[in-house]
């Protein structure tokens, strides 16, 4: 996550603030993401915040929203449409875990994602072998129009 944020630094700097929606009770929110985000905003002196939940109607021009949860992502996008914000200009969107809809909507949503095909291959290899498997799956950055 940290490396991907660093690679996105020029795009992130276009925005006044970056907000990470991180719910510690969610399965989609590993603490490593929160730690990487905090390290990034500190080291690069980025105006950033971490919020537990998104409040409907709170999307503001000039902000970049990093949604780990697709429900929150959809709420932000719905508010952007209602406020007639242009995604990638008026507000920025970054999301976790790529899927087909993120490839298509609003010209594409930028994602930081695990390679799920590779994960499936590793899981299959594990099932065929004896013993314990420990693998850190790398993330990949997919840049799209949302930034």
């Amino acid at each position: 996550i940290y490396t991907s944020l660093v690679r996105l630094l020029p795009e992130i700097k276009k925005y006044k603030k970056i907000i990470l929606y991180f719910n510690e009770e969610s399965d989609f929110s590993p603490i490593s993401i929160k730690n990487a985000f905090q390290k990034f905003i500190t080291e690069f002196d980025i105006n950033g915040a971490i919020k537990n939940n998104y409040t409907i109607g709170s999307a503001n021009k000039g902000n970049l929203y990093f949604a780990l949860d697709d429900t929150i992502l959809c709420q932000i996008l719905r508010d952007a449409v209602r406020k007639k914000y242009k995604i990638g200009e008026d507000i920025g969107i970054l999301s976790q875990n790529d899927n087909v809809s993120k490839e298509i909507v609003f010209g594409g949503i930028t994602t930081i994602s695990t390679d799920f095909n590779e994960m499936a291959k590793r899981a299959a290899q594990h099932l065929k072998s004896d013993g314990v498997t420990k693998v850190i799956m790398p993330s990949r950055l997919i840049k799209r129009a949302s930034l």
Side-chain angles (χ1 to χ4, degrees), residues 20 22 27 31 35 40-41 43 55-56 64 69 71 74 81 85 88 91-92 94 101 106 110 113 116-117 128 143 147:
L20 169 66
F22 182 88
D27 293 335
I31 195 70
N35 293 342
F40 171 76
I41 63 174
E43 286 188 8
T55 303
I56 302 295
L64 167 57
D69 178 280
T71 300
C74 290
V81 169
Y85 291 163
I91 67 169
L94 177 59
S101 64
F106 297 96
T110 298
S113 184
F116 293 105
N117 289 330
K128 292 178 183 178
K143 288 185 183 183
L147 293 180

Side-chain angles (χ1 to χ4, degrees), residues 9-78:
L9 187 60
E11 290 89 349
I12 291 170
K13 286 190 168 193
K14 293 182 351 187
Y15 299 95
K16 295 184 291 189
K17 185 176 191 176
I18 180 171
I19 300 167
L20 169 66
Y21 289 96
F22 182 88
N23 183 340
E24 294 191 22
E25 297 174 9
S26 170
D27 293 335
F28 301 107
S29 300
I31 195 70
S32 59
I33 293 175
K34 181 180 178 183
N35 293 342
F37 180 83
Q38 289 176 317
K39 178 181 177 183
F40 171 76
I41 63 174
T42 300
E43 286 188 8
F44 291 94
D45 195 28
I46 302 293
N47 183 14
I50 299 172
K51 295 187 178 186
N52 193 42
N53 287 307
Y54 178 74
T55 303
I56 302 295
S58 67
N60 290 312
K61 263 188 185 179
N63 287 343
L64 167 57
Y65 298 95
F66 185 0
L68 304 181
D69 178 280
D70 284 351
T71 300
I72 290 174
L73 173 65
C74 290
Q75 291 170 337
I76 296 167
L77 292 171
R78 182 178 55 206

Side-chain angles (χ1 to χ4, degrees), residues 99-119:
N99 61 47
V100 174
S101 64
K102 292 175 188 176
E103 185 179 334
I104 298 168
V105 298
F106 297 96
I109 304 297
T110 298
T111 60
I112 300 172
S113 184
T114 298
D115 184 336
F116 293 105
N117 289 330
E118 181 63 24
M119 185 185 296

Side-chain angles (χ1 to χ4, degrees), residues 77-141:
L77 292 171
R78 182 178 55 206
D79 281 350
V81 169
R82 288 179 177 163
K83 293 181 178 189
K84 298 183 176 157
Y85 291 163
K86 183 153 176 61
I87 305 298
E89 290 181 23
D90 296 326
I91 67 169
I93 303 289
L94 177 59
S95 184
Q96 180 186 21
N97 294 333
D98 199 45
N99 61 47
V100 174
S101 64
K102 292 175 188 176
E103 185 179 334
I104 298 168
V105 298
F106 297 96
I109 304 297
T110 298
T111 60
I112 300 172
S113 184
T114 298
D115 184 336
F116 293 105
N117 289 330
E118 181 63 24
M119 185 185 296
K121 288 178 189 174
R122 298 277 181 120
Q125 288 171 351
H126 170 74
L127 292 173
K128 292 178 183 178
S129 67
D130 290 332
V132 176
T133 302
K134 288 186 180 184
V135 176
I136 296 175
M137 294 302 300
S139 294
R140 62 187 172 115
L141 173 62

